[in-house]
Amino acid sequence: MLRVHFLYLLVYCLLAIGEIADCVGAGTLTVNPPEVTLQRPEATQQIVVYDTDSTGRSLDITRKVSIHIDPPDIAVVDERGLIRPQVNGKGLIVIDFADQRTAIPIIIRQLDNPVPISFHREIIPILTKAGCNSGGCHGKAEGQNGLKLSIFGYDARADFEALVLEGRGRRVSVASPENSLLLLKASARTSHGGGQRIEPESYRDRRLLRWISEGARFNANDDPASEITGIQIEPEQQILLGRETQQIQVSTIDASGNRRCVTNETEFVSNAASIADVDARGLIQASEIPGEAAILVRHLGHVATCRITVPRRGVKFVRPPENNFIDTLAWNKLERLGIEPSDLSDDATFVRRVSLDTIGTLPTPAEVRQFLNDPSPKKRSGLIDRLLERDEYVDYWTMKWLNILRADQLTISPQGAVAMQRWLRDGFAHNRPFHEFATDLLTVQGNTSAEGPGSFYKILNKPDEAARSISQLLLGVRIECAQCHHHPSERWSQADYVGLAGFFTGLTLKKLPNGEQSLVSFGGNDLPHPRGGEAVPTHALGAAPADFSKVSDRRRALADWLTADQNPFFSKAIANRLWSHYFGRGLIEPIDDIRDTNPATNPPLMEALASHLRDVKYDVKAFTRTLLNSRVYQLSAISVPSNIDDQQNFSHFIQKSQPAEVLLDAISQSTGVPEDFNGWPKGYRAIQIWDNHMPSYFFRIFGRPVRTTVCECERSNEPSIAQALHLLNAPEISEKISHRHGSVRKLVASQLSPAELIDELYLSTLSRFPTDTEQALMIQAFSENDRRAAAEDVLWSLLNSKEFVFNH
C-alpha cells in the first residue's frame, strides 16, 4: 500500500509542475479541469472526461469511466463526475477507461476555516435553483403565503431583508440555526406548501445552515475583487450524434480572475428540447432528430449559451443547384447536419404558394394556365416581379402592418385608422424604403388624424409603453422583463429599460378646436431608476448616453441610431420578420425575441440577410425578390426520409395556415361570390378592410388579430374543430357554393364536359389540374347526381380539403 501511495505522490508531483509524462497511461483521455481545488465544505467540482474518436471529435465519456480518489477519505465522487470534499488533504483523481488511465491532482483545504458565506453570491443561487424565487412561487408579484422574493433573485438586498428581517425574524434564527424556518421549510422537515425544495444534508442544506450559523450576513466579504464579473461555460459548442450526451461545466469568474465551479448551482434550459434536452445538472441528451439546440445557462444574472449540433449519420449529401447566397448558406448548414433538401416544387404549387404569400390572393384559373404553359426558364422570377407590382400586394401588406401597428379603430378612432392605412398604402405603392417607414413612425408629429402614423401614439401614451413596443417592433428585442428586474436571459437591466423610455418623454397629445388631437414633442427628461430613484441617462440599447444637443425631438436621436448601418438590431429584425412571413418561421424564433441566448438556426444566413437588406437600402421589394427567387423558398413541402423531422433548417417548405382574411377571400374567389361586409361597398375584399371590429364570426374563429399588441403572435394559425365545422356546415359557405350568380352556376350553364368542369374547379381552388385518380373519383358525382348538384359537391369537397386551407 505504501508503494502505491508513493506512486500516486510521484504522479501528483509531476502533474503539479506540468511535466505530465506517460506514467499513468498512453491513451487519449483528457480531463477538464486539469486539477481540482476545493476550499469550502459545500464546494463541488464537476469534472468531464474526454476521449477522441477516429475523426478527432472529443467525446464526453465521464459516465462510462471508473473514477476513484486516492486517498479515498479526502473526497467523494458520484457516477456523473461531481466531486465533493470530505477532509483537508491532497491526492489524485484517477480515471480508468478500458486499457487507459490518467490522473489529475486534487487539493482540499480550509474546510475547518472556510471563507464566510455571502447571501447574494451563494444563497441566492440556491433559492433560484430550488425555484423559491420563480414566478410560480415566492417570486410572483404578490409573493406566496406572506413571503415575497424578487424574481430570479434580481434584488438580492430586498430578498435578504424579506428572509432575515421581515416576519419578526422568525424565518432565520441565528441563535438556533437548525430551527430556522427557512431551513426547515425548504427541506420539508416541517410542513411546506411548496414541498421539499432542498434535500436534507445536501450541500445546499449544509450551506444554508452554515450561512445562518455565521450570522446570516448579506455580504461576508467586502473585497471588490471577490465580486462575480461573469461566467464561463465549457464547451461553448459541441457536435453530438444521436443519443450521445455532454456535460456542461459552469464556473464563475471574479474580479481578480479566480474561478469557482457552480455547475450544480446553475439553471439550464434548452430552446429545442426535441433535438437536445438538458437536465437540472447540465447533462445534455441528444435525440435522433438532426438540428441545433441552444442551451441557455443562467447564474446570478449572468447568461451564456452552449450550442449543440446533432447531425444525421449515413446521409450522402448531394448539393442542389444554387440560385443565390441564400441557397449557398442553407445547403452549407444542411450538409453539416446530414439533412437532404426536398425536390423543387412543381409549377402549379409554386404559382399558388407565391401568390398567396406575396399578394394574399389565389391565382385565377387563367393565370395558372398561362404560367403552366409558359416555356421560359425564367418564368418564376418573371411571376415574382409581376406580383410585386400588383395592387393586391399593396392591400395585403397594408393589412399586415395595420395589425402590427395596433390600428384598433376603437382606440385610435376610425379617422386615425384610415390615416394610418393611407400612409401605409402610399408607402407600399411607392416601395418606400423601410428605414424611412421606421423614421416616420419614430418622429411623427401633428394631427393624429392626418395621413401618417401619428395615431400610434394614442395607444402608446406612456414613455415606457412606447419604448418596449418600438423595441419589440423595430429591434426585435423584448425588454418588458427589464421593467421590474434584470432580464433573466439577456443583458438588459432596469437601467436599460428606463434609458430607452427616456426618448419618449416630452410627448403629449393636445386637443384641437375640431375635437381631434395633435401629437406634440417638447423637451423631455431622463427618467428615474425604478429602485434607486437616480436619473438614468437616456440611451439606446447597448449604446452610450444620447446627445440631444442638435435635436428638438428626442426621438430623432433614436431614429438616427436605429437606422444607422452599424445598428446591430434593426436590419436583422426586419430581415427576420420578412423571412418568417415567406418561409413559415423565422431564422430566429420568436421573431421579436432576438438575443445572444436565442441564436438564429443558421447564423451565417441571418447575418447575410441583414447585410443584404442594408445593401439594397431597405428596399423591401428587392429584398423580397431575393427571398422568393431562392431555391430554398421554392422547395417542395413533401419531405424526404432524412428531413421528415426537420422543422428549423428549411430543408422543405413549411405548410402554413392561410390568414383569416386571405382564406375568406379565397373562398369568395373560388365560389365567385364576394363577401358582404357590413357597411362596406360591394366587392371589397377582406384584405382591404381596415375596421378590425367589424362583426365577423369567420374572422373570430380563424384568428384575425385583435390589435392589442405589436406581436404577430396575436394571429392564431392553429387549426381547430370550430374552423373545420364552419367550413363543413356553415350556411354562409353553402350559400356561396350554390349562389345563383356564383361560379358553379356559370360552369354548369356552360358547354364544358364534366371532366373540363372538374378541371376548372380544381384550378380555381387548388391552382392545379386534378390527378387521374382524382378525376375518376370526382366524375362519379356526375353519374350519380344532376350536373349542378355534382358540381356543388365537388366544390364543397375541395373547399374543405387541407390542400385548400393551407399554403404549401
Side-chain angles (χ1 to χ4, degrees), residues 192-227:
H192 179 218
Q196 186 182 84
R197 313 304 298 180
I198 295 174
E199 292 185 10
E201 303 306 322
S202 66
Y203 84 92
R204 297 186 182 98
D205 186 63
R206 288 184 282 113
R207 183 181 293 175
L208 275 175
L209 179 60
R210 181 160 75 91
W211 170 66
I212 299 170
S213 301
E214 291 173 346
R217 288 175 284 179
F218 178 74
N219 188 359
N221 185 356
D222 294 327
D223 183 3
S226 65
E227 286 300 317

Side-chain angles (χ1 to χ4, degrees), residues 320-336:
E322 299 171 3
N323 295 348
N324 56 35
F325 71 89
I326 292 175
D327 301 327
T328 304
L329 297 173
W331 302 160
N332 289 348
K333 177 69 180 293
L334 293 176
E335 186 171 18
R336 187 156 63 93

Side-chain angles (χ1 to χ4, degrees), residues 486-514:
H486 194 289
H487 197 296
S489 53
E490 189 50 290
R491 64 185 186 273
W492 311 125
S493 65
Q494 287 180 287
D496 292 312
Y497 182 86
V498 297
L500 186 62
F503 285 104
F504 299 93
T505 58
L507 288 177
T508 187
L509 289 166
K510 289 191 173 182
K511 270 197 171 183
L512 297 175
N514 62 358

Side-chain angles (χ1 to χ4, degrees), residues 447-705:
N447 192 331
T448 57
S449 296
E451 184 175 310
S455 55
F456 187 59
Y457 291 92
K458 294 177 72 174
I459 308 164
L460 309 174
N461 52 17
K462 294 180 181 178
D464 65 320
E465 291 178 353
R468 62 176 180 252
S469 292
I470 290 294
S471 177
Q472 186 173 352
L473 180 66
L474 299 179
L475 302 176
V477 177
R478 298 180 179 182
I479 61 166
E480 63 269 24
C481 287
Q483 179 180 7
C484 301
H485 53 83
H486 194 289
H487 197 296
S489 53
E490 189 50 290
R491 64 185 186 273
W492 311 125
S493 65
Q494 287 180 287
D496 292 312
Y497 182 86
V498 297
L500 186 62
F503 285 104
F504 299 93
T505 58
L507 288 177
T508 187
L509 289 166
K510 289 191 173 182
K511 270 197 171 183
L512 297 175
N514 62 358
E516 295 178 348
Q517 291 180 307
S518 179
L519 180 66
V520 179
S521 175
F522 63 95
N525 57 277
D526 294 339
L527 294 171
H529 194 284
R531 284 193 288 147
E534 69 278 7
V536 177
T538 298
H539 62 281
L541 296 180
D547 179 9
F548 299 119
S549 61
K550 298 179 182 179
V551 296
S552 57
D553 186 340
R554 285 180 158 228
R555 296 172 300 161
R556 171 57 65 178
L558 179 62
D560 292 342
W561 168 83
L562 184 139
T563 57
D565 282 347
Q566 60 270 30
N567 184 290
F569 305 108
F570 179 61
S571 58
K572 185 179 292 186
I574 303 308
N576 190 53
R577 189 180 287 273
L578 290 168
W579 176 279
S580 175
H581 170 79
Y582 288 106
F583 288 82
R585 61 155 288 153
L587 284 161
I588 299 171
E589 194 68 32
I591 61 172
D592 50 13
D593 192 15
I594 297 175
R595 48 188 164 84
D596 291 341
T597 51
N598 184 34
T601 57
N602 190 330
L605 178 55
M606 183 73 264
E607 294 300 329
L609 289 169
S611 177
H612 180 57
L613 186 58
R614 294 192 297 269
D615 291 343
V616 299
K617 308 299 182 186
Y618 293 95
D619 182 328
V620 175
K621 285 187 178 180
F623 185 78
T624 301
R625 284 190 187 93
T626 302
L627 298 183
L628 302 185
N629 278 298
S630 70
R631 187 180 177 94
V632 176
Y633 176 76
Q634 298 180 21
L635 291 176
S636 171
I638 301 172
S639 299
V640 296
S642 70
N643 72 23
I644 194 168
D645 296 322
D646 177 40
Q647 295 297 320
Q648 61 173 208
N649 298 293
F650 309 99
S651 56
H652 54 86
F653 190 79
I654 300 174
Q655 297 189 55
K656 302 172 289 190
S657 296
Q658 294 186 51
E661 302 92 330
V662 174
L663 182 59
L664 182 56
D665 282 345
I667 293 171
S668 298
Q669 180 178 322
S670 298
T671 59
V673 181
E675 183 72 8
D676 185 12
F677 295 109
N678 186 28
W680 287 76
K682 194 77 170 177
Y684 264 75
R685 303 176 66 231
I687 62 172
Q688 297 174 299
I689 305 298
W690 55 260
D691 183 0
N692 64 309
H693 284 283
M694 183 184 59
S696 171
Y697 180 71
F698 190 95
F699 285 164
R700 181 159 62 85
I701 65 169
F702 281 92
R704 188 192 197 197

Side-chain angles (χ1 to χ4, degrees), residues 283-517:
L283 181 64
I284 301 168
Q285 172 75 61
S287 73
E288 297 286 356
I289 300 174
E292 286 193 334
I295 310 299
L296 170 65
V297 181
R298 180 170 56 212
H299 183 84
L300 279 180
H302 300 283
V303 293
T305 304
C306 173
R307 187 144 191 156
I308 300 298
T309 301
V310 183
R312 189 184 293 279
R313 288 178 278 191
V315 173
K316 184 179 179 181
F317 189 89
V318 179
R319 201 171 181 93
E322 299 171 3
N323 295 348
N324 56 35
F325 71 89
I326 292 175
D327 301 327
T328 304
L329 297 173
W331 302 160
N332 289 348
K333 177 69 180 293
L334 293 176
E335 186 171 18
R336 187 156 63 93
L337 293 174
I339 299 175
E340 298 169 288
S342 294
D343 294 331
L344 196 68
S345 61
D346 59 45
D347 284 345
T349 298
F350 176 76
V351 68
R352 186 178 194 269
R353 176 192 301 172
V354 73
S355 297
L356 288 172
D357 276 346
T358 308
I359 63 175
T361 303
L362 278 174
T364 64
E367 290 168 342
V368 175
R369 281 192 169 93
Q370 180 184 6
F371 184 74
L372 296 182
N373 293 329
D374 186 348
S376 171
K378 296 183 178 180
K379 65 181 181 179
R380 293 196 178 194
S381 60
L383 173 62
I384 292 166
D385 290 341
R386 293 193 299 274
L387 290 173
L388 290 173
E389 299 306 318
R390 294 264 295 262
D391 289 341
E392 292 95 330
Y393 170 82
V394 177
D395 292 333
Y396 187 36
W397 285 89
T398 296
M399 178 203 77
K400 279 185 63 69
W401 279 92
L402 281 173
N403 291 331
I404 297 169
L405 293 177
R406 299 181 59 182
D408 177 9
Q409 64 109 339
L410 293 184
T411 304
I412 67 175
S413 78
Q415 294 86 350
V418 170
M420 192 177 291
Q421 184 198 41
R422 288 175 176 170
W423 168 69
L424 287 168
R425 279 192 58 81
D426 181 74
F428 285 116
H430 293 92
N431 194 31
R432 196 162 181 227
F434 197 86
H435 66 300
E436 293 183 11
F437 266 120
T439 299
D440 279 0
L441 186 65
L442 283 174
T443 60
V444 63
Q445 293 193 54
N447 192 331
T448 57
S449 296
E451 184 175 310
S455 55
F456 187 59
Y457 291 92
K458 294 177 72 174
I459 308 164
L460 309 174
N461 52 17
K462 294 180 181 178
D464 65 320
E465 291 178 353
R468 62 176 180 252
S469 292
I470 290 294
S471 177
Q472 186 173 352
L473 180 66
L474 299 179
L475 302 176
V477 177
R478 298 180 179 182
I479 61 166
E480 63 269 24
C481 287
Q483 179 180 7
C484 301
H485 53 83
H486 194 289
H487 197 296
S489 53
E490 189 50 290
R491 64 185 186 273
W492 311 125
S493 65
Q494 287 180 287
D496 292 312
Y497 182 86
V498 297
L500 186 62
F503 285 104
F504 299 93
T505 58
L507 288 177
T508 187
L509 289 166
K510 289 191 173 182
K511 270 197 171 183
L512 297 175
N514 62 358
E516 295 178 348
Q517 291 180 307

